[in-house]
Amino acid sequence: MAGRNPLKDKLEDEELDLSMMQLTDVPVRDIEHLGTKVLTVNLSHNLLTTLPANFPLLSHITKLDLSKNQLVELPENFGGFKSLKSLDLYANQLVKLPVSFAQLKNLKWLDLKDNPLCPALKQAAGDCITPNDCAMCAKKVVALLQSMESQLQRERQRRMAEEMAQQKEIERREEIEREKVRQEKRAAKEKRREEARVREAETKKDSDQKVRHEMQLNGNDNAKTKNNSHGSNGHAATPDPAVSRSCLGSLVMFLLGLAVVALGLAVSLIWIYTEGRLDSKSVTTALPVIQSDVEDYLMAVGFKTVKLYEQAEKAAKPYVESSLKSGKAAWKDGGHYMRKGAKYVETNYGDLFVNIWEQAKAAFGFIWSYVLIGWRSILPYLQQAWEASKPYFHQLGKIIIEKSLEFWDFLQSNFPAFIDSVTELVGTVSQVAVKSWQKITEAF
């Protein structure tokens, strides 16, 4: 059961008298429990140096006496006493008042005598000798604090505007720097492209010269070989058995060669676009350039393919239409003769073909019955072999998955930028290939 409120005996006619009780703190909780019937609070002649922050929350108080204490400051939220009409701060140690004091618009009486007030407050407060002086004090002090509050508000707005202007200036400079970096990157990219085009032209020229030289050499060798073959006893050369045996090996070597060529092409592109610098930063910078060039090349190939198809279609269209006409006429005549032939066969050899079909069905059924018997006999052994080998298949699959995940984690942890760029490049190339293929199919 809750205890009895110790301040209840101090309440009389809406006035709570707590004067001369040697209080060092305001019993806000007990005052709050008395409710809104407390309109006047007398805390004079105590030992108060500060007021609790929750005291101004008792906004229903209309008269407050804090005279003859040792208050050195009031809480910043003192303006919470919205209903306050009379305030006595006589004989304390106040130097200044909080800015929220400007919110006490209902204050009609104020006494600030015997406080070491700052000059501005002291001038506004006056002497407070008569009730009219105290009323004028309340009016002038509230007005002074309202003016100070307006100045502070304008100062805050000015500082906020300056900070926003500074922030915009910083953002503008950063944007200028970013644009400068982008322009430098574009210039470097264009320079690398031009250098790559020059190197590609030189490489193509050298390769064309080598090809022509090799063709000349091969032509001479073929002529010599032909002469030798005609001069050898008139017999044709027999094929070497080792050639047929090495077909599979040649195919494997061809595939390996393609893989090596693809790898060499990728490394060469990276080497060319990074100008020989294979560090992570250079590779990361070069990959978008390679991606853009590959996209341009694929789009150009797609456009050329569509154009070639349109030219081929235009050139071949008359021949195709003529062939279709001829085919239709041949099909019509051939269908007439085929129907006559089928009718002749049915009339003269129908029974023979029916007997052959029945015998074939019986033979197939006989063979199928033996196949089923053989399947039923070996099925238990197959199931036993599967059950015996199943754990090894599971283990093999688990090992493959684990090693694949380890390899993928290794690539992502050591080459994250390269993996992301390759993934993005593959996706972009796939999209371009799909678009090119769609255009080609639309052309068809």
Side-chain angles (χ1 to χ4, degrees), residues 293-303 428-430 432-433 436:
D293 291 347
V294 170
E295 291 176 0
D296 296 342
Y297 178 76
L298 289 176
M299 289 299 294
V301 170
F303 291 143
T428 306
V429 170
S430 302
V432 173
S436 301

Side-chain angles (χ1 to χ4, degrees), residues 149-355:
E149 185 181 35
S150 299
Q151 291 179 2
L152 291 175
Q153 184 68 21
R154 287 194 295 270
E155 184 65 23
R156 282 195 295 268
Q157 292 176 354
R158 186 185 63 79
R159 285 200 300 267
M160 189 179 299
E162 289 179 354
E163 290 175 357
M164 291 179 64
Q166 291 176 0
Q167 183 64 29
K168 288 183 179 179
E169 181 64 21
I170 292 173
E171 292 177 356
R172 188 183 67 83
R173 292 179 180 177
E174 290 178 352
E175 181 61 27
I176 291 174
E177 290 295 328
R178 286 194 292 267
E179 182 62 26
K180 183 179 179 181
V181 172
R182 285 195 290 266
Q183 290 179 358
E184 291 177 353
K185 287 184 178 179
R186 283 195 290 267
K189 179 180 177 180
E190 189 61 31
K191 181 180 178 182
R192 287 194 296 269
R193 284 184 177 179
E194 186 62 29
E195 292 176 351
R197 292 191 192 100
V198 173
R199 286 194 291 267
E200 184 179 359
E202 293 177 352
T203 305
K204 186 176 181 181
K205 183 178 178 181
D206 294 340
S207 61
D208 291 342
Q209 291 178 355
K210 289 181 180 179
V211 168
R212 286 195 294 270
H213 182 65
E214 290 176 357
M215 290 177 65
Q216 292 176 358
L217 293 178
N218 290 334
N220 295 333
D221 292 339
N222 290 334
K224 291 179 180 179
T225 304
K226 186 175 180 180
N227 293 332
N228 291 333
S229 63
H230 282 293
S232 59
N233 299 327
H235 295 287
T238 58
D240 190 0
V243 174
S244 60
R245 290 196 301 268
S246 63
C247 288
L248 181 60
S250 299
L251 178 61
V252 173
M253 292 301 294
F254 176 74
L255 295 177
L256 289 176
L258 286 178
V260 171
V261 169
L263 180 61
L265 178 61
V267 174
S268 300
L269 285 174
I270 295 175
W271 177 272
I272 291 170
Y273 277 79
T274 57
E275 299 180 354
R277 297 188 295 273
L278 295 179
D279 55 291
S280 177
K281 184 176 180 181
S282 300
V283 172
T284 305
T285 305
L287 286 176
V289 181
I290 298 175
Q291 176 185 352
S292 177
D293 291 347
V294 170
E295 291 176 0
D296 296 342
Y297 178 76
L298 289 176
M299 289 299 294
V301 170
F303 291 143
K304 288 181 180 178
T305 304
V306 172
K307 190 173 181 181
L308 289 174
Y309 168 74
E310 291 175 351
Q311 294 176 354
E313 182 185 17
K314 185 176 179 180
K317 189 174 181 180
Y319 302 101
V320 173
E321 291 178 352
S322 176
S323 300
L324 287 175
K325 281 184 180 179
S326 301
K328 285 181 181 179
W331 174 256
K332 186 176 180 180
D333 296 338
H336 175 68
Y337 290 113
M338 286 177 66
R339 286 192 294 273
K340 289 180 66 177
K343 188 173 181 180
Y344 174 79
V345 171
E346 182 180 3
T347 303
N348 296 281
Y349 302 101
D351 296 336
L352 176 62
F353 281 112
V354 170
N355 292 331

